[in-house]
Amino acid sequence: MSRIGREEIVLEPNVEISVSNKNLVTIKGPLGELRQQVDPEIKVEVDGKRVRLTRLTETKEAKAAHGLYRSLLNNMAVGVTKGFSKSLVINGVGYKVAQQGNDIVLNVGLSHQVVVKAKPGIKLSCPTALEIKVTGANKQEVGQMAAEIRAVKKVEPYHLYGIRYSDEVVVKKQGKTTGKK
């Protein structure tokens, strides 16, 4: 049995879960509501505030999906209570970010300003002129939004100018040297 899949998910007291007859799991909490369609080979059992996933068959696909769906449901439970966040840092001469309503405006060395619009369920904020914080209940959407912002201007390895995750390590390359000895 999957080590991840056999662990129970313990829900917070303010979280509600419901499972439809078509294996559609809905989790509601203080930060919103998330839904996930679960594979028919996986059975979702709710016992009060504990959720357990079991396999109905022992096929290779069911074994692979067992841990996956347990992780997805656990991320949903964490997301509707605590939420997820990603931080990005901007580095460069004249580079900055500004908040404009729910959206952010990036000045990152391009000939124009880049306006990044927040997706539904995602909150973009700028604690400083060189930081971006992406928060939301859905872990996948938070990561996707952060990746799209990072893709506007990836870090170049010679001066380290660009947008990177706050915990990302970028190795600086050595520039060209002269032929003098």
Side-chain angles (χ1 to χ4, degrees):
M1 189 166 218
S2 169
R3 283 187 229 169
I4 295 171
R6 69 176 168 222
E7 290 181 24
E8 288 184 338
I9 301 169
V10 180
L11 301 174
E12 299 287 327
N14 55 356
V15 176
E16 297 175 14
I17 185 168
S18 62
V19 182
S20 72
N21 55 359
K22 295 184 179 178
N23 263 7
L24 179 68
V25 178
T26 305
I27 298 181
K28 295 179 189 176
L31 296 181
E33 176 180 326
L34 297 173
R35 300 171 194 268
Q36 176 66 48
Q37 184 70 41
V38 178
D39 192 315
E41 294 183 355
I42 306 295
K43 182 179 176 188
V44 180
E45 301 168 340
V46 180
D47 180 28
K49 292 293 179 183
R50 296 187 179 276
V51 181
R52 186 177 303 111
L53 279 75
T54 54
R55 295 191 298 257
L56 298 177
T57 62
E58 291 299 318
T59 63
K60 187 175 183 180
E61 292 79 16
K63 289 178 180 181
H66 189 201
L68 167 75
Y69 285 111
R70 190 266 175 205
S71 293
L72 291 175
L73 295 181
N74 188 55
N75 286 343
M76 289 168 54
V78 170
V80 297
T81 55
K82 299 174 186 166
F84 293 100
S85 69
K86 286 261 189 192
S87 296
L88 296 119
V89 177
I90 297 175
N91 184 25
V93 177
Y95 288 16
K96 62 183 177 180
V97 63
Q99 186 133 15
Q100 195 175 50
N102 293 335
D103 307 331
I104 58 172
V105 179
L106 299 169
N107 292 315
V108 287
L110 301 174
S111 63
H112 59 284
Q113 294 180 336
V114 179
V115 178
V116 179
K117 300 202 177 288
K119 294 180 181 177
I122 300 293
K123 184 175 181 273
L124 300 175
S125 61
C126 304
T128 66
L130 299 175
E131 277 185 82
I132 303 169
K133 191 161 184 124
V134 182
T135 57
N138 190 327
K139 188 175 186 178
Q140 180 181 357
E141 289 177 1
V142 168
Q144 181 65 37
M145 188 80 224
E148 289 172 9
I149 293 171
R150 182 177 173 266
V152 170
K153 186 79 170 189
K154 289 186 180 175
V155 177
E156 58 90 19
Y158 294 101
H159 296 102
L160 303 182
Y161 291 170
I163 304 172
R164 64 177 173 84
Y165 298 115
S166 61
D167 58 351
E168 181 179 6
V169 176
V170 180
V171 178
K172 187 174 182 178
K173 288 186 177 179
Q174 182 178 359
K176 291 183 179 179
T177 58
T178 61
K180 296 179 184 178
K181 291 187 179 181

